[in-house]
Amino acid sequence: MSAPEPLLSLSSVSVRFGSRLVVDRVSLTLHQSDIVTVIGPNGAGKTTLIKAILGIQSLSSGQVTRRPGLTVGYVPQHLQLETSMPLTVRRFMLLGGQSEARCRQALSRTGVEHLFASSVHHLSGGEKQRVLLARALVRSPDLLVLDEPAQGVDINGQAALYNLIRSLRDELHCGVLMISHDLHLVMAATDKVICLNQHVCCSGYPADISHDPAFIETFGRPVAESLAIYHHHHNHRHNLRGDVVTPAPHHHHGKSCTHHEPD
Amino acid sequence: MNLIDAVLDDFFWRALIGGLGVALVAGPLGCFVVWRRMAYFGDTLAHSALLGIALAFALELPLNLGILLICLALALVLVLLSRSRALATDTLLGILAHSALAIGLVVLSLMPGVQVDLTGFLFGDLLAMNRDDLIWIFSGAALILVLLARLWRSLLMTTIHEELARVEGFAVERLRMVLMLMFSLVIAVAMKIVGVLLITALMIIPAATARRLATTPEQMALLATGFGFAAVAGGLAMSWFADTPAGPSVVVTSFLVFLLVYSGSRHRTT
């Protein structure tokens, strides 16, 4: 695996709303099979950054380069559907323009095939997210973009959802870019964390980032410490699972990684 | 004289045929008004129709064309204005709706030698429908039906989630403009039926009635058309037998059907 073309790279992307700089010179690179999570406080510009990446928010400066022919599957933040439109999960899936068989397959992959005939207005938070995820999967994406995928999902459901996202990545070898609030679960689910507060205040691997002074400054020492403890735990589990269950279908991360961004 | 001529020579039949022609497209378009929460927007466009009539008199254009042009212009202005977030959309619409109506009335009163039947424009003059009106209605309806059929999936998708649609490659802006064009067209041709003050009712009430019974967007559109037909036929009958004004009678009938459906069936949301 010699340094493949990245799925996505941002160079010094800024977005300005009036005089307010919402996204400040953000650069990042995302490769196939990478899971990158953007965390940060409210109003840090996470959603704006995602929208800039998706091409639905215009940039004030900088550049977003996507690999040519990149198919993006987007899972928007808590889909609020207008209840005045009668809509079943089936119909919602089919609006993506794929066959019914593929839609069913995608739904069964995210564990909600039984909801095929249900109204989208009757879904729980977790079910809705899984339907949206299926809707993104049916496009066979090279890159999955998820904006707060676990919002409105109960705590057990959140862990399951992040596990699902990881296993989808392993299966499809797609890149994953997501936003999250929930630090603990994210740290367990991601390969790389970008801590955003308008600018990238720090980025790196979950185990390292909680020691980063910029991270501690943004989230406070108690949060950082709780993550560090948690992380000890997680690394252990991850190594074990990496060794036993998946004999490195994706490469091993280390200092020599080609996609390791200098900060 | 053949049968078609016999039918078209009768004002009652012309009114019925014209009314059904408008209801045919007001149903599905009304669904989009309901789904996209554009009721107030539709009202604003409709209120500007009087200004369109003034324009048509000034430039000696057909009335429908004048209305169509003004509606389109206003739709554009609204889309542009709603991008700046200085005022809430409903405030903006409220300002423009009533200003457009007032300006239309003032301008019409200032035009020398123009005597217009204001009541007809405001509340419709269904029974005065002529053959030209029918041609306008059916060409407008045909164009709208073709556009709806071709763009149905895209229109639904952008209505459900605009950003998701954009990411999936739908031409969101262009679809929005097409929708505006269709609204303007339906207002231009429907004004004759129910007048500028009641047009939105003809779009929203049948669609809202249909929502109660439909389980798919398509069903809702078809049912809305059906309820629109019922409103037109019922309204004309009411007008015929009770000598009530035709336009308001159509809206009253539509409302009665709405009440009937909502009180009759057990509600289940799909």
Side-chain angles (χ1 to χ4, degrees):
Chain A
M1 287 220 273
S2 63
E5 193 182 352
L7 296 178
L8 180 79
S9 63
L10 272 67
S11 67
S12 206
V13 166
S14 296
V15 178
R16 201 177 272 284
F17 291 154
S19 61
R20 207 160 67 88
L21 194 57
V22 181
V23 174
D24 183 10
R25 286 165 296 157
V26 171
S27 298
L28 66 93
T29 308
L30 199 147
H31 285 82
Q32 197 182 342
S33 296
D34 272 356
I35 299 184
V36 173
T37 305
V38 180
I39 58 173
N42 276 328
K46 302 186 295 289
T47 297
T48 309
L49 178 66
I50 290 273
K51 286 183 178 171
I53 289 170
L54 291 169
I56 51 187
Q57 166 68 55
S58 49
L59 311 181
S60 307
S61 64
Q63 206 179 1
V64 175
T65 314
R66 298 181 183 199
R67 196 180 72 186
L70 185 80
T71 304
V72 179
Y74 173 44
V75 178
Q77 196 173 7
H78 59 93
L79 185 63
Q80 287 226 326
L81 292 167
E82 182 58 53
T83 50
S84 62
M85 188 193 288
L87 193 66
T88 57
V89 169
R90 173 180 179 276
R91 194 77 184 78
F92 176 64
M93 293 294 293
L94 287 174
L95 280 174
Q98 303 287 344
S99 72
E100 182 157 336
R102 289 200 51 160
C103 291
R104 272 185 177 281
Q105 204 181 353
L107 285 167
S108 93
R109 187 62 194 85
T110 61
V112 284
E113 198 195 354
H114 60 285
L115 299 173
F116 200 56
S118 311
S119 158
V120 293
H121 304 304
H122 295 162
L123 305 180
S124 71
E127 288 169 341
K128 203 179 262 184
Q129 290 301 333
R130 282 164 183 268
V131 168
L132 282 172
L133 190 55
R135 175 63 199 266
L137 285 184
V138 85
R139 292 162 52 77
S140 315
D142 306 305
L143 173 65
L144 262 180
V145 178
L146 309 102
D147 190 349
E148 303 257 11
Q151 213 178 48
V153 180
D154 65 59
I155 191 78
N156 291 326
Q158 288 186 11
L161 194 62
Y162 283 119
N163 276 336
L164 175 62
I165 292 168
R166 278 189 79 85
S167 68
L168 287 173
R169 183 277 310 267
D170 294 340
E171 209 172 285
L172 305 170
H173 306 293
C174 55
V176 176
L177 176 67
M178 57 184 170
I179 291 184
S180 186
H181 262 322
D182 188 283
L183 296 171
H184 290 89
L185 285 163
V186 163
M187 293 300 189
T190 193
D191 297 332
K192 190 179 167 189
V193 179
I194 292 176
C195 171
L196 191 74
N197 200 356
Q198 272 74 58
H199 63 287
V200 176
C201 66
C202 54
S203 71
Y205 302 111
D208 306 332
I209 199 168
S210 50
H211 303 302
D212 192 306
F215 182 87
I216 296 168
E217 197 189 321
T218 310
F219 288 98
R221 186 164 293 279
V223 172
E225 273 169 5
S226 76
L227 283 176
I229 293 166
Y230 178 83
H231 252 281
H232 175 72
H233 219 52
H234 161 65
N235 280 346
H236 176 70
R237 246 181 53 207
H238 185 184
N239 283 342
L240 190 66
R241 192 170 59 182
D243 290 344
V244 177
V245 184
T246 46
H250 72 279
H251 70 272
H252 211 76
H253 290 295
K255 288 273 186 292
S256 61
C257 274
T258 46
H259 64 223
H260 187 192
E261 284 278 287
D263 296 326
Chain B
M1 198 163 71
N2 61 34
L3 183 67
I4 294 173
D5 273 327
V7 167
L8 291 182
D9 276 343
D10 185 288
F11 76 94
F12 184 82
W13 285 107
R14 281 200 304 269
L16 184 65
I17 293 169
L20 294 180
V22 169
L24 184 65
V25 289
L29 275 184
C31 290
F32 282 102
V33 173
V34 170
W35 293 333
R36 297 172 79 111
R37 302 188 175 209
M38 292 176 82
Y40 214 1
F41 181 92
D43 247 355
T44 307
L45 283 192
H47 285 180
S48 73
L50 269 192
L51 207 53
I53 291 166
L55 180 81
F57 276 124
L59 303 178
E60 291 176 13
L61 295 172
L63 290 188
N64 292 307
L65 189 60
I67 297 171
L68 181 62
L69 290 176
I70 286 287
C71 285
L72 280 176
L74 190 72
L76 261 177
V77 169
L78 282 171
V79 168
L80 292 177
L81 280 182
S82 61
R83 284 193 188 149
S84 76
R85 294 282 160 85
L87 287 173
T89 310
D90 65 330
T91 308
L92 198 64
L93 289 175
I95 292 170
L96 286 178
H98 300 110
S99 305
L101 185 61
I103 294 171
L105 288 168
V106 169
V107 170
L108 275 178
S109 78
L110 289 177
M111 295 181 85
V114 174
Q115 286 293 323
V116 293
D117 168 23
L118 260 188
T119 321
F121 288 133
L122 292 177
F123 299 104
D125 199 358
L126 188 47
L127 299 178
M129 182 140 347
N130 59 39
R131 287 189 181 207
D132 280 350
D133 293 327
L134 289 184
I135 291 172
W136 263 96
I137 288 175
F138 281 92
S139 355
L143 177 61
I144 290 174
L145 284 182
V146 168
L147 285 172
L148 279 176
R150 291 184 63 106
L151 301 173
W152 186 254
R153 185 170 76 90
S154 312
L155 285 169
L156 278 186
M157 195 52 223
T158 52
T159 300
I160 290 170
H161 202 287
E162 210 174 280
E163 284 177 349
L164 192 57
R166 215 178 285 237
V167 171
E168 292 187 0
F170 291 94
V172 172
E173 300 297 332
R174 202 180 323 150
L175 288 165
R176 198 204 316 265
M177 289 320 293
V178 173
L179 204 57
M180 297 298 167
L181 170 74
M182 292 194 286
F183 286 152
S184 303
L185 253 177
V186 86
I187 286 167
V189 300
M191 209 195 58
K192 195 85 181 190
I193 316 284
V194 285
V196 296
L197 294 180
L198 299 175
I199 285 173
T200 328
L202 198 61
M203 306 231 280
I204 296 176
I205 302 177
T209 312
R211 173 65 186 97
R212 178 79 170 211
L213 306 173
T215 54
T216 66
E218 292 74 21
Q219 249 179 39
M220 182 161 155
L222 290 176
L223 278 170
T225 293
F227 287 129
F229 284 170
V232 167
L236 272 177
M238 186 200 281
S239 173
W240 181 265
F241 291 112
D243 199 21
T244 52
S249 304
V250 168
V251 176
V252 167
T253 313
S254 189
F255 180 58
L256 289 176
V257 175
F258 170 82
L259 287 180
L260 202 69
V261 167
Y262 269 76
S263 59
S265 61
R266 212 157 231 305
H267 192 44
R268 58 189 177 111
T269 337
T270 327

